[in-house]
């Protein structure tokens, strides 16, 4: 199933792609639906009030992840791409005070977040751990439309019907036809060998069936510019992050120390690791504060890949813009395989699907720009993913701060190590990437719900008790 590089890398806001961007997108989809004519209603019936309920993981960690605010903003007509993080607090406060939303192109609807937005921890929806239900009522308060959506990770949102189609066997062959339709890593390697193309080149050919080369390059450059801008903002900010844990930003302070060492030419055997860590932390501190980030492949794992890419630009003199594009294309090829055959959702498989996938994608991208063969690139991704298997998603207080911020830094370090090991070998290795991906899927299936973005186990419980 073809997934575009722009499906995996989406510009949005923090702190969570599945819990913030997803609910905002779902709310906006519901608005579009009630404005259309594709649902049955008596002639002359008008929508007077709207409501929503969040279920499963969204209910348990919704407040910490900003899911409630995201729904409010989405029902006001905002999208993750266009919402202004600096104005969103005032916008939410105004809606709570007025108990109405007035999205552009719509009449004003009654909507009191205190009663019309429910975090339902008792009623999980059957399709996915991140389920949402939206309701429309007429002017006499009779229910006239109910729609269910699922946020399946990385900002992807599907309806009940779309989810069922995705789960059917026929969905595997759905989507646009492309010249290199690899569904797993084994097919990817066979196609690379047969065509003589690199993974990035095959991915580029696939993408260019949907857009021009100029559009593709401009889009890739915009993705990297957004990632780089997020790093720069994170390195410039100080203070305490929101949410109540009183976790302080550290990236600016650490960056200052590294800059001082750099100027004084002090020997530092951990220099590469230190720079990787500070770049990743800058992104995830910005994400935790609700800033503008890029899913890579999710918000919770948004810092790992940009940190590795910035590291390569920092330390490798032959790094250039063409290499940045090849890095992103290669990473997206691997991310698409992981998403198709397992998951990138912490609520579905734990953090192995978020930071583990991000580390594998970053390792593949780095191996590519270091001159790795397709076999070495596949090996790099496998090494990185294998050593995240079993990782739980247990955010303290439901916030994307502890352990998420440091976890991205360590994911970046593992990615660089994996790429280095792989390109020094010949590409032959014991565990195929496809086996690691299937293991992640099985491990996620067997993992207790306590450890899948519900904050009911792990650090989320034990840190509070301490």
């Amino acid at each position: 199933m073809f997934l575009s590089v722009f499906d995996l890398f989406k510009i949005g806001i923090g702190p969570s792609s599945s819990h913030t961007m997803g609910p905002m997108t779902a709310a906006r989809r519901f608005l579009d639906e009630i404005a259309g004519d594709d649902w049955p209603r008596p002639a002359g019936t008008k929508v007077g009030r709207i409501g929503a309920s969040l279920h499963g993981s969204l209910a348990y960690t919704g407040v910490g992840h900003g899911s409630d605010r995201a729904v409010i903003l989405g029902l006001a007509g905002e999208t993750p791409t266009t919402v202004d993080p600096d104005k969103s607090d005032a916008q939410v406060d105004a809606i709570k005070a007025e108990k109405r939303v007035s999205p552009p192109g719509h009449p004003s609807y009654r909507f009191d977040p205190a009663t019309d937005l429910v975090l339902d921890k008792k009623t999980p929806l059957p399709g996915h751990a991140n389920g949402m239900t939206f309701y429309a009522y007429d002017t006499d308060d009779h229910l006239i439309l109910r729609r269910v959506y699922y946020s399946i990770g990385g900002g992807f949102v599907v309806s009940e019907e779309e989810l069922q189609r995705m789960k059917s066997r026929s969905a595997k062959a759905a989507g646009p036809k492309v010249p290199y339709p690899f569904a797993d890593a084994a097919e990817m390697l066979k196609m690379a060998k047969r065509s003589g193309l690199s993974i990035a080149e095959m991915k580029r050919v696939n993408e260019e069936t949907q857009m021009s080369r100029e559009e593709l390059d401009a889009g890739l450059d915009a993705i990297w510019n957004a990632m780089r801008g997020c790093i720069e903002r994170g390195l410039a900010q100080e203070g305490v992050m929101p949410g109540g844990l009183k976790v302080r930003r550290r990236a600016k302070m650490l960056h200052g120390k590294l800059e001082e060492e750099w100027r004084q030419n002090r020997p530092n055997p951990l220099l590469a690791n230190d720079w990787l860590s500070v770049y990743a932390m800058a992104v995830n501190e910005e994400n935790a504060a609700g800033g503008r980030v890029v899913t890579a492949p999710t918000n919770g794992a948004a810092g790992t890949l940009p940190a590795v890419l910035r590291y390569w630009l920092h330390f490798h003199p032959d790094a250039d813009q063409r290499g940045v594009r090849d890095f992103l294309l290669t990473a997206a090829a691997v991310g698409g395989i992981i998403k198709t055959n397992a998951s990138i959702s912490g609520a579905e498989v734990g953090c192995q699907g978020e930071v583990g996938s991000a580390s594998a994608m970053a390792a593949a991208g780095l191996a590519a720009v270091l001159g790795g063969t397709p076999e070495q690139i596949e090996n790099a991704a496998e090494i990185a993913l294998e050593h995240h298997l079993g990782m739980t998603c247990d955010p303290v207080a439901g916030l994307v701060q502890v352990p998420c911020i440091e976890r991205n830094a360590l994911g970046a370090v593992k990615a660089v190590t994996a790429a280095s090991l792989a390109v020094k070998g010949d590409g032959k290795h014991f565990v195929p990437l496809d086996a690691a991906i299937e293991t992640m899927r099985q491990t996620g299936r067997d993992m207790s719900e306590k450890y899948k973005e519900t904050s009911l186990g792990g650090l989320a419980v034990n840190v509070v008790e301490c």
Side-chain angles (χ1 to χ4, degrees):
M1 187 175 180
F2 174 72
L3 283 174
S4 171
V5 62
F6 304 114
D7 289 327
L8 287 159
F9 299 125
K10 301 187 188 77
I11 301 173
I13 62 165
S16 172
S17 48
S18 59
H19 285 57
T20 312
M21 291 172 60
M24 190 182 299
T25 299
R28 178 59 185 265
R29 278 189 64 173
F30 184 68
L31 280 182
D32 293 341
E33 188 153 4
I34 61 176
D37 297 320
D38 295 334
W39 56 284
R41 52 179 163 173
T45 301
K46 295 182 178 180
V47 177
R49 179 169 71 92
I50 54 180
S53 55
L54 305 180
H55 303 263
S57 174
L58 289 177
Y60 280 108
T61 61
V63 174
H65 284 67
S67 305
D68 52 344
R69 296 177 71 259
V71 168
I72 295 169
L73 291 166
L75 291 177
E78 299 289 356
T79 69
T81 305
T82 60
V83 67
D84 186 343
D86 296 328
K87 297 179 180 178
S88 59
D89 284 344
Q91 197 170 357
V92 169
D93 289 343
I95 291 169
K96 288 180 177 179
E98 297 168 8
K99 300 180 182 180
R100 303 191 75 86
V101 287
S102 302
H106 289 252
S108 177
Y109 303 120
R110 286 184 289 123
F111 174 70
D112 182 358
T115 55
D116 292 324
L117 177 55
V118 178
L119 274 66
D120 185 350
K121 298 179 181 178
K122 296 180 180 179
T123 316
L125 297 179
H128 191 277
N130 291 334
M132 296 161 278
T133 308
F134 290 85
Y135 310 89
Y137 303 85
D138 65 17
T139 52
D140 294 323
D141 233 19
H142 297 129
L143 180 65
I144 54 175
L145 181 66
R146 175 184 180 272
R147 285 289 184 264
V148 173
Y149 300 97
Y150 294 102
S151 179
I152 58 174
F156 290 88
V157 171
V158 294
S159 66
E160 273 185 307
E161 297 77 17
E162 290 165 345
L163 185 65
Q164 290 306 313
R165 287 198 295 270
M166 286 174 59
K167 290 180 176 180
S168 70
R169 285 186 178 272
S170 60
K172 293 292 184 182
K177 301 295 183 182
V178 293
Y180 301 102
F182 48 84
D184 55 38
E187 287 184 350
M188 180 178 71
L189 292 179
K190 287 178 184 176
M191 290 181 187
K193 186 173 183 179
R194 201 158 51 232
S195 67
L197 299 177
S198 69
I199 293 171
E201 287 168 338
M202 290 193 299
K203 184 66 174 167
R204 175 175 284 278
V205 171
N206 287 346
E207 295 286 346
E208 288 178 2
T209 64
Q210 312 300 311
M211 67 193 76
S212 70
R213 172 158 295 209
E214 293 73 21
E215 289 171 324
L216 176 59
D217 286 344
L220 292 170
D221 293 348
I223 291 296
W224 170 237
N225 287 337
M227 288 178 172
R228 183 174 56 192
C230 186
I231 293 173
E232 295 303 326
R233 288 194 307 276
L235 294 177
Q237 302 298 317
E238 294 179 292
V240 175
M241 287 175 284
L245 287 182
K246 299 181 179 179
V247 175
R248 298 194 66 83
R249 289 182 182 248
R250 289 179 287 164
K252 181 178 180 180
M253 176 269 294
L254 294 171
H255 182 252
K257 290 184 176 180
L258 289 174
E259 287 281 322
E260 182 63 24
E261 285 184 359
W262 193 269
R263 284 191 294 270
Q264 295 185 8
N265 201 26
R266 283 189 212 152
N268 179 359
L270 298 176
L271 188 64
N273 284 358
D274 287 346
W275 280 104
L276 280 166
S277 298
V278 77
Y279 290 148
M281 291 174 67
V283 171
N284 284 88
E285 287 176 358
E286 193 66 15
N287 177 63
R292 181 75 62 202
V293 296
V294 179
T295 60
T298 67
N299 282 26
T304 296
L305 189 146
V308 174
L309 187 44
R310 178 69 178 266
Y311 152 85
W312 174 67
L313 289 165
H314 188 152
F315 286 98
H316 291 258
D318 56 345
D320 57 17
Q321 192 64 24
R322 179 178 177 181
V324 170
R325 295 167 187 163
D326 286 346
F327 187 113
L328 293 174
L329 288 167
T330 306
V334 169
I337 290 170
I338 295 172
K339 187 180 186 306
T340 297
N341 296 293
S343 176
I344 58 171
S345 169
E348 204 167 23
V349 296
C351 198
Q352 59 176 350
E354 296 209 25
V355 171
S357 297
S359 187
M361 292 166 64
L366 182 59
V369 296
L370 292 178
T373 64
E375 291 77 15
Q376 290 170 325
I377 292 166
E378 184 261 0
N379 187 14
E382 185 280 323
I383 294 170
L385 184 60
E386 178 182 334
H387 298 290
H388 284 89
L389 291 176
M391 182 174 283
T392 60
C393 182
D394 50 354
V396 176
L399 300 169
V400 192
Q401 297 178 15
V402 180
C404 317
I405 295 170
E406 290 179 353
R407 188 168 283 176
N408 273 262
L410 272 293
V413 171
K414 286 185 181 181
V416 171
T417 303
S420 181
L421 285 171
V423 298
K424 289 180 174 64
D426 59 6
K428 296 177 181 177
H429 55 106
F430 191 75
V431 179
L433 175 58
D434 288 330
I437 293 171
E438 173 59 15
T439 302
M440 183 177 78
R441 188 192 68 80
Q442 293 176 5
T443 303
R445 179 193 61 195
D446 296 339
M447 189 182 289
S448 168
E449 296 300 317
K450 293 192 302 182
Y451 304 113
K452 293 195 282 189
E453 212 168 358
T454 58
S455 292
L456 295 176
L459 287 175
V461 173
N462 290 306
V463 169
V464 175
E465 289 179 351
C466 293

